[in-house]
Amino acid sequence: VNVASLLLVKAMARRREIAVRSALGASSGRLVRLFLTESLILSLTGGVLGVVLAFVGTNLLLSLAPAAMPRLAEVRVDLRVLTFSLGVSLVCGLTIGLLPSLQTGRLRPAAALSSASRWSSGGGRRRLRHALVVAELALSMTLLIGAGLITQTFWRLVSVDAGFRSEGTLTAGIRLPQAEYPDVTTVTGFHDALLEKVRALPQVSSAALTRFLPLSDGPWTFAFDCEELPLVPERERLAYAYVPVSTEYFRTAGISLLRGRSFTAADNVDTPKVLVINEAMKQQFWPDEDPLGVRIRFDVDTSADPWREIVGVVNDVRHDGLHLDARPAFYGPRQQGFDFLLDRMRLVVRTDSEPLQLAQSVRDIVRGIDPNLAVFDIRTMDQLLTGSVAQPRFSMWLFLCFAFVAAFLALIGIYGVISHTVRHRLPELGLRVALGARGRSVGLLVLAQGMVIAAQGIGLGLLLALIATHMLRGLLFEISATDPLTYIVLTALLAGASAAACYVPARKAAKADPMVVMRGET
């Protein structure tokens, strides 16, 4: 759009040259070929440079992309991209070359060669350039609002209380082969030895085991019956999360105990089964009652005594994502858990030092207990938390990059249009000054003309944004697609930037010397 606008300006400046060529016998077809050749050279050169920038830009954007994004390895500048770029360059070259050639096709040589032609600003061409800049500003306004909404979504996500304390915590996965650990006794023996040795490390303040980490995996879900609630038909039953954990898990993960008690070493296979529930579970089934002492049984529990007593309530943990409410969940002691859930546990270690410094010590401890076992997926809880917002962070950077580039190009466009308008209006503006107008009022006149164009583009952009941002609803979190504050702030920012772009040509107009202008020396 900017190149088309500049070529229109260049065509106006070359009216005398084109008039001379026409007077010497140049045909309209030859003049059209002249403009097309120039525009194609410009567009193809720009296309080549754009492809070079695409190689660099693609690698930069890929470095910001989350590793879990599907088919990420397929994103590259390949033959299809190069072919598309060539096609776009040719189409742009032909389009922007035809615009000035169509304008010069209606040129009258006698009028162009007359001295009065320098006073003409070309109303049709001026309106076309203004329309192009209005379109630029409208599209950039739409992108800026999209970027603003996505950015606010990201910051709202990272400020969400996940329900646990991530700092200073290391996690690691350990899977026990069934052939060597066939029952609860052998599994429990390994876990007890592991926890004892890890807790003995001098930099460790607490350590625990869990089957499922927040924002990472699982959990398994089971339907249940409650002793104090009427039985629900099997076809109407809903399944709820169940997480087996060891003692000290809530303290290690930073999950607050709201009422009742946590698990102790006495909660084992030989004692009555117990559970801890989260606040979401309490609010769903016992909103106005105390759930402590209530007994439930899971549908998959076939033991002689399947009833489990609720002994505590903990705060909610956003297990499935920061943008999703916490699901109702049960926590149970690992020794009272189901056998098929205990072979793959996650170690959680809290330390006052850098968590990753413990990684090698954890590996050595596991290898010391069983040389055939390997530790996998060693990460900090901070990394889990960061990874959960990787997708919205990437979306934010994409929107911001494209929005600011679009806004920058639009501001260049409005600056070019106002500068060209001032250049062509200098005789008129000089005459105004000669007749007594102040330089400041002349500058304000030019500035107002630029802001009218900006207001048209921004207004159209707001209308487009109201339509386009509805497609972003699935990406937004705790913010409306029509958030008024976002619209107001970004409108003010783009309007201020547009005013700054118009200031330089307006200042030039305000300081124009009327004597120099009237002699045609500018």
Side-chain angles (χ1 to χ4, degrees), residues 351-416:
T351 174
D352 297 327
S353 61
E354 169 58 38
L356 288 176
Q357 292 179 355
L358 291 173
Q360 189 57 49
S361 299
V362 170
R363 291 192 184 96
D364 292 341
I365 288 174
V366 172
R367 192 178 298 114
I369 300 174
D370 187 340
N372 296 320
L373 293 182
V375 181
F376 64 92
D377 199 18
I378 296 181
R379 290 183 289 176
T380 66
M381 290 288 270
D382 280 333
Q383 289 174 328
L384 286 176
L385 200 58
T386 301
S388 69
V389 294
Q391 179 63 52
R393 181 190 294 109
F394 184 57
S395 299
M396 178 190 70
W397 281 116
L398 280 181
F399 265 93
L400 286 175
C401 287
F402 292 134
F404 282 117
V405 168
F408 177 70
L409 293 176
L411 294 175
I412 290 177
I414 193 171
Y415 169 80

Side-chain angles (χ1 to χ4, degrees), residues 150 326 504:
I150 292 295
V504 175

Side-chain angles (χ1 to χ4, degrees), residues 405-435:
V405 168
F408 177 70
L409 293 176
L411 294 175
I412 290 177
I414 193 171
Y415 169 80
V417 164
I418 300 303
S419 296
H420 173 71
T421 301
V422 168
R423 191 177 303 114
H424 275 267
R425 292 185 63 188
L426 277 177
E428 171 206 336
L429 299 175
L431 182 58
R432 287 175 181 267
V433 175
L435 294 176

Side-chain angles (χ1 to χ4, degrees), residues 41-365:
I41 291 174
L42 282 174
S43 62
L44 290 175
T45 303
V48 171
L49 293 175
V51 169
V52 173
L53 289 175
F55 276 104
V56 178
T58 300
N59 292 332
L60 178 62
L61 290 175
L62 287 177
S63 68
L64 300 174
M69 181 173 287
R71 305 178 68 178
L72 197 64
E74 299 179 27
V75 179
R76 60 185 180 276
V77 179
D78 56 12
L79 182 60
R80 291 174 297 173
V81 175
L82 296 175
T83 304
F84 174 79
S85 303
L86 175 62
V88 169
S89 299
L90 289 174
V91 170
C92 288
L94 292 172
T95 303
I96 64 179
L98 285 174
L99 287 176
S101 64
L102 292 175
Q103 294 290 331
T104 56
R106 297 194 295 267
L107 183 67
R108 296 179 181 177
L113 291 170
S114 67
S115 59
S117 65
R118 71 185 184 96
W119 290 79
S120 173
S121 59
R125 287 184 289 270
R126 183 176 67 251
R127 286 191 294 271
L128 178 58
R129 292 196 306 276
H130 289 186
L132 292 175
V133 173
V134 166
E136 275 190 295
L137 285 167
L139 293 175
S140 63
M141 186 76 241
T142 304
L143 278 174
L144 281 172
I145 289 177
L149 294 173
I150 292 295
T151 301
Q152 289 194 71
T153 288
F154 173 74
W155 288 113
R156 279 174 163 79
L157 278 174
V158 297
S159 62
V160 164
D161 182 9
F164 59 89
R165 288 192 297 118
S166 62
E167 65 279 1
T169 308
L170 181 75
T171 68
I174 302 165
R175 185 164 192 169
L176 304 179
Q178 188 174 5
E180 299 178 25
Y181 299 88
D183 51 41
V184 174
T185 302
T186 54
V187 170
T188 300
F190 173 86
H191 289 159
D192 289 341
L194 174 65
L195 288 175
E196 180 182 359
K197 292 180 180 295
V198 171
R199 289 168 180 168
L201 294 174
Q203 61 270 50
V204 171
S205 57
S206 64
L209 291 168
T210 178
R211 178 60 174 86
F212 305 107
L213 285 173
L215 304 174
S216 178
D217 52 7
W220 281 55
T221 57
F222 304 121
F224 72 94
D225 293 317
C226 178
E227 211 174 31
E228 298 181 358
L229 296 176
L231 290 176
V232 178
E234 186 172 349
R235 65 178 180 277
E236 298 178 11
R237 286 184 178 182
L238 299 177
Y240 296 91
Y242 173 75
V243 184
V245 299
S246 72
T247 58
E248 296 191 24
Y249 172 70
F250 299 125
R251 181 167 75 91
T252 304
I255 300 173
S256 302
L257 182 67
L258 303 180
R259 57 177 59 83
R261 69 172 179 89
S262 182
F263 302 128
T264 67
D267 297 317
N268 55 46
V269 293
D270 300 321
T271 59
K273 297 175 182 178
V274 293
L275 291 172
V276 169
I277 63 173
N278 66 352
E279 184 68 15
M281 178 68 75
K282 177 189 179 301
Q283 291 302 322
Q284 180 164 339
F285 289 96
W286 303 278
D288 302 317
E289 304 173 20
D290 186 357
L292 301 184
V294 173
R295 298 206 309 166
I296 68 102
R297 64 180 179 187
F298 294 117
D299 59 342
V300 294
D301 195 339
T302 58
S303 61
D305 184 13
W307 293 99
R308 301 167 189 258
E309 180 182 347
I310 297 175
V311 297
V313 180
V314 295
N315 70 282
D316 291 332
V317 174
R318 293 180 183 253
H319 197 104
D320 303 300
L322 295 178
H323 63 294
L324 299 173
D325 292 334
R327 66 164 80 184
F330 294 100
Y331 295 90
R334 63 183 172 91
Q335 295 184 21
Q336 296 179 357
F338 300 105
D339 294 355
F340 59 87
L341 289 178
L342 300 181
D343 62 332
R344 185 174 176 175
M345 298 292 282
R346 301 276 185 165
L347 177 67
V348 183
V349 184
R350 180 164 293 279
T351 174
D352 297 327
S353 61
E354 169 58 38
L356 288 176
Q357 292 179 355
L358 291 173
Q360 189 57 49
S361 299
V362 170
R363 291 192 184 96
D364 292 341
I365 288 174

